[in-house]
Amino acid sequence: MTGGPPDDDEALGEEVLRLIGQPQYVSGAGMPADRGHVRAMAAAVENANPAWWDDGAAEDLLAAAYCPATMLAAWGRPELWEPGRAEPLKALQAHFDLKDLLGFPASMAVSYTTSFHRPVTVGDRLRTQQVLRRISDPKTTKMGRGRFWTIEMQYLDERSDLVGVESYEFFGFGKERA
């Protein structure tokens, strides 16, 4: 594939097709979910739910020291920079790789959803993997000619059970407008 956006009749290359459904950028376990970060989040948004402030209340109300579902990304995302890494990662590196492979100079996120499969408890150590789910046929929009694609950031626990999924839909396109 060359540097420009694909034409209508240009099929996706084998390199791109092989990525669909394959885990990429599998990270090691992130920091353990901890009560201190839960309290910091609750304080930042003035959330007085006793389950976030008191271990006894968490047991009484939830039967365990669960973490707020909205903190899923805090527990599993890899550090974008760490000592010894030659180049920093970008958040959703699989998206930037695909954009480059398809030859699109621009892209935009068009939708985002999160699904929760089980609660995170204090002490859990999650890991992530990025999975390209689909790539559309070429489309023309007001932004230009391009393709839509969906990438999932999957969060897994120590047993490799799925905890949650962030699903991002992007539109990659050429700079010229249709």
Side-chain angles (χ1 to χ4, degrees):
M1 201 168 269
T2 60
D7 297 323
D8 280 352
D9 57 353
E10 186 175 348
L12 293 170
E14 279 301 312
E15 186 177 8
V16 172
L17 290 173
R18 278 194 304 268
L19 295 174
I20 297 173
Q22 298 304 308
Q24 301 178 65
Y25 298 101
V26 177
S27 74
M31 69 175 177
D34 69 274
R35 178 65 65 206
H37 282 91
V38 169
R39 287 184 181 138
M41 185 282 309
V45 297
E46 299 179 6
N47 184 333
N49 183 335
W52 311 144
W53 294 93
D54 178 87
D55 291 340
E59 274 298 320
D60 291 345
L61 294 168
L62 305 173
Y66 292 121
C67 300
T70 54
M71 291 189 74
L72 180 64
W75 314 123
R77 286 283 171 98
E79 296 295 337
L80 299 180
W81 178 91
E82 56 188 44
R85 184 179 290 151
E87 288 188 34
L89 289 175
K90 294 178 182 171
L92 290 170
Q93 185 68 52
H95 159 71
F96 291 98
D97 292 350
L98 182 62
K99 187 177 130 195
D100 290 344
L101 283 170
L102 295 174
F104 292 123
S107 66
M108 61 187 293
V110 295
S111 70
Y112 166 83
T113 58
T114 304
S115 57
F116 304 102
H117 295 259
R118 78 153 186 83
V120 175
T121 57
V122 170
D124 282 353
R125 293 181 69 90
L126 304 183
R127 62 184 177 82
T128 59
Q129 58 189 24
Q130 298 172 41
V131 180
L132 172 63
R133 282 292 168 209
R134 70 171 198 84
I135 305 172
S136 76
D137 291 333
K139 308 280 184 199
T140 299
T141 72
K142 290 183 180 183
M143 297 303 296
R145 187 96 180 127
R147 292 180 187 260
F148 290 89
W149 59 80
T150 303
I151 294 181
E152 291 180 352
M153 176 69 81
Q154 299 177 345
Y155 294 84
L156 302 110
D157 64 16
E158 295 95 340
R159 297 171 304 281
S160 294
D161 291 335
L162 192 62
V163 173
V165 176
E166 294 174 316
S167 182
Y168 298 83
E169 185 174 15
F170 294 98
F171 180 62
F173 55 96
K175 288 184 181 177
E176 65 282 341
R177 290 184 176 250

